[in-house]
Amino acid sequence: MANPILEVENLKTYFFTDEGQIPAVDGIDFHIEEGEILGIVGESGCGKSVTSLSVMGLLPSPPGKIVSGRIRYNGEDITHAKEAKLRKIRGNEMAMIFQEPMTSLNPVFTIGQQLIEAIRIHKKMSRKAASEKSIELLKLVGLPRADELINEYPHQLSGGMRQRVMIAMAMSCNPKVLIADEPTTALDVTIQAQILELMVKLNKETGTAIMMITHDLGVVAQVCRRVVVMYAGKIVEEGLVKDIFNHPKHPYTQGLIKSIPDLHDKKKRLYSIKGNVPKPGSIIQGCYFAPRCEFAMNKCHTEMPKLIGESHRVRCLLHGEE
Ligand code: SF4
């Protein structure tokens, strides 16, 4: 590990509901190095978003609870930090952006009012200085006519512009880690590409590490250095993007790669992995992917594979002997 800024160790996050205990995140280990872009990929229901909410201390509790494991930010254990401490970390050190910016922006305040407020919560600054900083941030994220935009309301902006505003807001306190939860899913393809480009540019210019949460391995291929593949609350494969794309080892990762649309052959039928992610909490013996796996063997239905390997880790009995 070079310089980990964020470390997650054997994290288990469960939901306690009337229907019983649901292990949404079931013992995961990963880290993010300073300044890198790490992808966390998987279909919905795999535990990606619960992982990010656990890291940010934003888990709805109850019903969610971190039942074991550690989250370390810059070497400091923040797993069960008090809300005041977490609030300080969020915004100053770590920030998060979500899929639909409209849910995070307040429709009754102008963009400028919201940016100024975000800046002044975390930094001692006059209103005038915060207003100048807001314009600077809007320019940083590539928004045109920034000095007029600060007087406009969220509904006057397009989806792509609103996501840029959210990125500006997240970057307002120079965070060391930015968690982006499906930041481009609600946008159309050309805008998606622009937002991803912007995130790579900001990562290069500011050194902010990014945890990119997505269901789309195509997004990972475009922007990430390493990737963690999650399935049913567990990590099933992890490694450098180039290794995972050239030699995917887990049948689930292989299926996700095959599902990436081929832009050069639009007539080609899209591949999709048969079946669905098991409902969180459903009891499956052995490998959780076995009901969907075309390589499943008898032992896969009784034995839970371990995550093995070092720089390229995989959880599959096909690779048990390596
Ligand atoms: Fe498929 Fe078996 Fe590997 Fe699970 S352990 S992914 S069922 S081959």
Side-chain angles (χ1 to χ4, degrees):
M1 240 187 270
N3 276 323
I5 184 77
L6 187 73
E7 295 160 275
V8 170
E9 207 181 282
N10 194 26
L11 179 71
K12 293 189 180 181
T13 303
Y14 290 6
F15 282 82
F16 294 87
T17 69
D18 293 343
E19 284 154 39
Q21 180 176 305
I22 296 172
V25 171
D26 198 11
I28 61 167
D29 298 270
F30 70 91
H31 72 279
I32 304 181
E33 288 169 18
E34 275 179 359
E36 84 165 338
I37 307 186
L38 174 79
I40 306 236
V41 75
E43 293 159 287
S44 50
C46 282
K48 312 172 303 255
S49 295
V50 176
T51 302
S52 62
L53 294 175
S54 305
V55 167
M56 287 296 281
L58 289 173
L59 200 65
S61 179
K65 192 176 175 203
I66 295 177
V67 295
S68 72
R70 291 270 164 277
I71 299 166
R72 279 195 201 87
Y73 172 76
N74 216 359
E76 189 185 347
D77 187 344
I78 57 162
T79 325
H80 299 290
K82 296 251 159 54
E83 182 50 32
K85 164 106 189 164
L86 286 171
R87 213 176 302 133
K88 221 170 153 195
I89 292 175
R90 289 194 296 262
N92 282 327
E93 311 281 339
M94 292 201 276
M96 187 161 179
I97 54 170
F98 298 90
Q99 182 181 131
E100 181 36 82
M102 214 41 198
T103 53
S104 312
L105 287 169
N106 191 327
V108 301
F109 292 108
T110 63
I111 300 301
Q113 285 166 327
Q114 298 186 58
L115 266 168
I116 291 168
E117 172 82 7
I119 294 167
R120 293 184 79 210
I121 285 176
H122 299 285
K123 288 214 159 75
K124 277 199 184 108
M125 218 183 240
S126 69
R127 188 158 278 279
K128 187 166 178 283
S131 169
E132 280 159 14
K133 172 94 181 157
S134 304
I135 294 176
E136 215 179 276
L137 282 163
L138 292 176
K139 287 183 181 161
L140 177 76
V141 297
L143 281 164
R145 50 179 197 85
D147 30 10
E148 290 168 30
L149 263 189
I150 58 165
N151 297 317
E152 292 179 10
Y153 290 88
H155 74 269
Q156 294 175 277
L157 275 55
S158 67
M161 288 169 90
R162 285 199 288 260
Q163 194 55 291
R164 283 180 195 262
V165 170
M166 284 314 300
I167 296 172
M169 219 174 258
M171 296 301 291
S172 64
C173 299
N174 307 322
K176 293 229 168 49
V177 179
L178 174 66
I179 299 182
D181 192 349
E182 303 273 8
T184 59
T185 305
L187 305 171
D188 59 38
V189 186
T190 39
I191 310 295
Q192 269 188 23
Q194 291 169 9
I195 296 289
L196 292 178
E197 247 169 58
L198 167 67
M199 296 186 75
V200 172
K201 174 179 159 259
L202 291 176
N203 164 263
K204 286 206 179 108
E205 286 174 2
T206 63
T208 296
I210 300 177
M211 178 167 147
M212 178 74 73
I213 294 177
T214 176
H215 65 281
D216 183 350
L217 259 182
V219 167
V220 169
Q222 279 179 62
V223 301
C224 301
R225 188 179 87 88
R226 280 189 309 125
V227 58
V228 166
V229 182
M230 284 188 75
Y231 188 77
K234 290 192 180 289
I235 293 177
V236 294
E237 190 158 6
E238 185 203 338
L240 289 171
V241 167
K242 63 177 168 63
D243 292 341
I244 301 259
F245 272 81
N246 291 331
H247 305 289
K249 290 183 174 177
H250 198 283
Y252 181 57
T253 316
Q254 291 165 358
L256 289 178
I257 292 175
K258 276 206 266 176
S259 319
I260 300 173
D262 184 346
L263 294 178
H264 303 291
D265 186 0
K266 292 198 176 131
K267 286 196 187 127
K268 196 168 144 194
R269 255 191 100 192
L270 264 188
Y271 175 85
S272 71
I273 305 169
K274 64 170 188 184
N276 296 306
V277 180
K279 214 171 144 236
S282 50
I283 298 162
I284 296 177
Q285 290 283 315
C287 170
Y288 291 171
F289 190 58
R292 304 175 73 186
C293 180
E294 52 189 284
F295 304 103
M297 306 164 278
N298 283 343
K299 61 179 176 179
C300 300
H301 296 283
T302 52
E303 204 179 309
M304 167 59 83
K306 289 195 176 71
L307 190 60
I308 54 163
E310 284 183 14
S311 59
H312 185 168
R313 300 192 292 166
V314 63
R315 185 190 294 279
C316 172
L317 295 173
L318 292 173
H319 301 276
E321 305 305 321
E322 281 178 8

